[in-house]
Amino acid sequence: MTTRRTDRTATPVSTFTQALEAAAEPAALSPSSHNCQPWGLGRATTGTARRAAADLTGEDADEYLVLALDRGRELTALAAHAVEMEVSCGLYWRILLRGLAAQGWTTTAARVLDDGTPLGGGGSPFGAGWPAAWTPLCVVALRRGAPGGERLGDLHETALARRTHRGPYRPQPVPAGLLRDLAETDAAEGGADPVHVRHLTGARDLRAFAAFVARHAGRDFGHRAAWRETHSFLRRDLADAAARGDGFTPEQLFGPMSRPRRAAMRCALAPVTMNLLGKVGYHRVLAAGLADLVRRTPAVVTMGFAGRAPGRADLLRGGARLADYWWRATRHGLSLHPVSIVIQHEDLRARLERELSLPGRTFFVSRVGVAGAPAPRSHRRADAAGHVAF
């Protein structure tokens, strides 16, 4: 596993290994559900792996990379998590490829490995070095050329500045021109369907969404399997999060708190306690608190797939679109707080789409605004910026 760190703002590097390590640094800071970091990255180096990658992409290229879903790190409690995991991988993939392009390594061909892709008897054509717990999602061919217009240092600076801010946002409206700029989508590649982006900024829409959250967001807190999985990513404090390299802390959920309150919240959020408190409506109290934050937020963004049954290429494209949106928003001083809890159950997602007339199949909903206070940085596992050579 390659995990050596490099100077992210250095002058152009001389080898692909150095370029990959430099690009992986900002990519590893990408957000993911529960900060589970479900991606894996492989570099084809053996003759078997390179021949397989060349056959899949149709390119005799300088280098080949493969994006994977690490099944050992994925969320599985809800069916909707399958979408979230591949969108998270697509988000990481987009930043990685942007980082490589900034250093002159251009993608010349890409092949999404969906269920219809012939991969050979073992499920992977890449030889014995491919990790057994990884599901390959996409392979790209790359060639060395001129650096792109984006600076790697700027990409990394923005990645470090990006946060998931779950606290209050300032009440001032987000400029309409900025929201229009963020909502602009790139031209769909190869005739692919676009990702629909919509902003809720009017008082009526925001009130309607807040009311929806108040009515329905408690379901996840009361869903035993889902909450047990969520709680498994709750870390005792920042030191525990740093040691484990994933998950989130009570402060990241509820803001700064004293040690006694932190202990009380950890006890209240334990699955056994949550099950007991749910009988007296505690999940509705938590939903009401989230709804109050939504009600005082200047904007909410939704993203949806054009098709009702998105395939793997759509999921990765959705992640790429979300990556570009979140990074551009961060550059303008905006913060995001995903409210995924209202779209993780199929009936709730369909009802939300109807009530708010949302276009497409919604896969992302988030508060948008200027955070009222700094948020702690989410930690990353030691090998999040690494790769496997196979």
Side-chain angles (χ1 to χ4, degrees), residues 15 19 70 97 103 115-116 123 126 149 181 188 204 211 220 271 316 324 360 364 372 382 389:
T15 70
D70 184 346
L97 296 181
Q103 300 172 85
D115 293 337
F126 301 123
D181 179 61
R204 182 177 179 180
D220 252 22
L316 297 181
D324 289 344
F364 183 74

Side-chain angles (χ1 to χ4, degrees), residues 90-115:
L91 204 157
Y92 158 87
W93 192 229
R94 172 63 170 164
I95 299 303
L96 180 84
L97 296 181
R98 281 174 58 178
L100 286 170
Q103 300 172 85
W105 288 95
T106 304
T107 298
T108 59
R111 176 75 178 273
V112 175
L113 308 178
D114 55 27
D115 293 337

Side-chain angles (χ1 to χ4, degrees), residues 12-60:
V13 295
S14 57
T15 70
F16 182 73
T17 296
Q18 292 173 310
L20 182 58
E21 291 173 351
E25 291 286 341
L29 298 173
S30 299
S32 57
S33 298
H34 295 8
N35 189 26
C36 67
Q37 305 156 54
W39 51 77
L41 178 64
R43 177 186 179 188
T45 58
T46 67
T48 297
R50 287 180 59 83
R51 283 192 298 274
D55 288 343
L56 288 166
T57 60
E59 287 275 340
D60 182 13

Side-chain angles (χ1 to χ4, degrees), residues 86-262:
E86 296 199 16
V87 168
S88 294
C89 288
L91 204 157
Y92 158 87
W93 192 229
R94 172 63 170 164
I95 299 303
L96 180 84
L97 296 181
R98 281 174 58 178
L100 286 170
Q103 300 172 85
W105 288 95
T106 304
T107 298
T108 59
R111 176 75 178 273
V112 175
L113 308 178
D114 55 27
D115 293 337
T117 305
L119 294 177
S124 169
F126 301 123
W130 183 259
W134 285 13
T135 298
L137 304 179
C138 184
V139 56
V140 295
L142 301 112
R143 287 189 179 279
R144 183 65 186 266
E150 186 170 28
R151 290 184 61 251
L152 180 63
D154 291 340
L155 189 65
H156 194 270
E157 178 184 330
T158 305
L160 286 172
R162 188 208 60 79
R163 297 285 192 278
T164 298
H165 283 269
R166 297 180 175 90
Y169 290 174
R170 296 176 186 172
Q172 291 82 3
V174 180
L178 174 55
L179 292 179
R180 283 194 299 271
D181 179 61
L182 291 172
E184 288 181 357
T185 57
D186 297 330
E189 299 177 3
D193 290 331
V195 172
H196 296 299
V197 179
R198 180 183 169 191
H199 289 106
L200 309 178
T201 56
R204 182 177 179 180
D205 283 342
L206 290 173
R207 282 197 303 269
F209 181 60
F212 189 93
V213 170
R215 290 197 309 271
H216 301 296
R219 185 183 294 189
D220 252 22
F221 298 114
H223 190 292
R224 290 192 180 188
W227 184 251
R228 190 179 302 113
E229 185 173 63
T230 296
H231 188 266
S232 71
F233 284 90
L234 184 63
R235 304 302 174 227
R236 184 178 62 253
D237 50 30
L238 287 174
D240 185 30
R244 294 176 181 244
D246 63 6
F248 47 87
T249 66
E251 285 84 354
Q252 288 174 308
L253 287 177
F254 303 107
M257 61 183 68
S258 64
R259 184 175 298 179
R261 185 180 174 224
R262 184 191 306 128

